[in-house]
Amino acid sequence: MWILATWTHLMHKYRRGIAFKDPDIVRTIFLVLWMLAEPMRLWSAYQGNLKEKVPWMAVSFLLTCFPQVPACIYLLIGQKGNQPVDRALNIVMASFIVPELFLFLSTMRRMIKVHQQQFYLHDFSHVANLTTLDLGSGKDHYSMACDQAFEQETGFRTKTRGTISTGRQEQ
C-alpha cells in the first residue's frame, strides 16, 4: 500500500503529460530498487517465518536492511521537495520498518534456539538397538550413558555388553 500511495503522489506531482519528470533521481532509484526487492522479501519472509526456515528468514532480514532502511532514511531526511504528504507517508513506512527489524532479530534468535533444542532432543532410539563398540573398555560413550540412566531409574546394574543383570552380585 505504501508503494502505491507514494507512486500515486509522485505521478500527481511530477507527471507532465505522458512523461514522468522527477528532479530527484536518487528517489526514483530507491523506489525502483524497493519495487524489485519487495516481492522477494515478502516471499522469503513467508518461507522463513511460516515454514520455520532460518536461512530464508535471514534473506528476508537482509532485504529489509537493504534497500528498505536506506530508502526510508533518504525519503525521511534527504529527498528534494519534501511536502507534508511525503513526510506522512514516510513516517508510516518508518513506523513499520523499525519494529520489523527488531522482530526479525528476536524471531530468528528464537527459531535458532528451538531448532537447536529439537536437534539435541532428537530421538536416538535407533542407536540403542545397535551393538556396543568394543574400544578396549568394552563400551562406547552412548551406551555407558544409557546404562547409567537405566541404573538410576531402575536400580539394576548392567553388564559390560549391555545385558541386564538380575541385581545379584556377579562372581
Side-chain angles (χ1 to χ4, degrees):
M1 291 303 291
W2 174 85
I3 196 75
L4 291 174
T6 302
W7 273 111
T8 304
H9 177 66
L10 287 176
M11 291 302 266
H12 176 69
K13 191 159 75 170
Y14 295 115
R15 194 174 86 186
R16 306 286 185 258
I18 298 176
F20 178 71
K21 305 269 184 181
D22 188 2
D24 191 0
I25 191 70
V26 176
R27 174 178 46 216
T28 306
I29 291 170
F30 271 129
L31 291 176
V32 168
L33 284 174
W34 182 294
M35 286 179 23
L36 293 174
E38 186 66 12
M40 292 184 293
R41 187 188 74 84
L42 291 175
W43 184 77
S44 62
Y46 168 77
Q47 291 290 322
N49 195 13
L50 294 180
K51 295 187 176 183
E52 295 185 4
K53 295 181 180 178
V54 177
W56 285 111
M57 194 75 160
V59 168
S60 183
F61 175 74
L62 291 175
L63 287 173
T64 301
C65 289
F66 180 80
Q68 285 188 350
V69 171
C72 179
I73 292 169
Y74 178 77
L75 292 173
L76 270 173
I77 298 170
Q79 73 175 331
K80 298 176 185 173
N82 202 356
Q83 295 179 348
V85 174
D86 293 324
R87 183 157 313 274
L89 285 171
N90 297 325
I91 286 173
V92 168
M93 178 183 66
S95 68
F96 283 110
I97 287 179
V98 171
E100 185 177 315
L101 290 172
F102 293 111
L103 288 173
F104 264 126
L105 287 175
S106 68
T107 303
M108 281 197 308
R109 284 185 188 143
R110 194 173 330 120
M111 283 174 59
I112 289 171
K113 186 181 287 187
V114 166
H115 283 279
Q116 284 176 341
Q117 289 173 350
Q118 287 175 352
F119 175 76
Y120 290 125
L121 296 176
H122 186 267
D123 184 21
F124 289 107
S125 62
H126 63 281
V127 178
N129 295 331
L130 299 176
T131 58
T132 59
L133 298 174
D134 189 8
L135 300 174
S137 65
K139 293 195 167 243
D140 63 345
H141 294 288
Y142 178 77
S143 61
M144 290 186 338
C146 289
D147 290 345
Q148 287 176 357
F150 180 78
E151 287 174 16
Q152 288 176 354
E153 283 186 51
T154 62
F156 289 109
R157 281 189 54 231
T158 58
K159 290 185 180 178
T160 58
R161 298 299 272 166
T163 58
I164 301 173
S165 69
T166 59
R168 294 181 289 192
Q169 293 265 345
E170 297 180 27
Q171 303 190 19

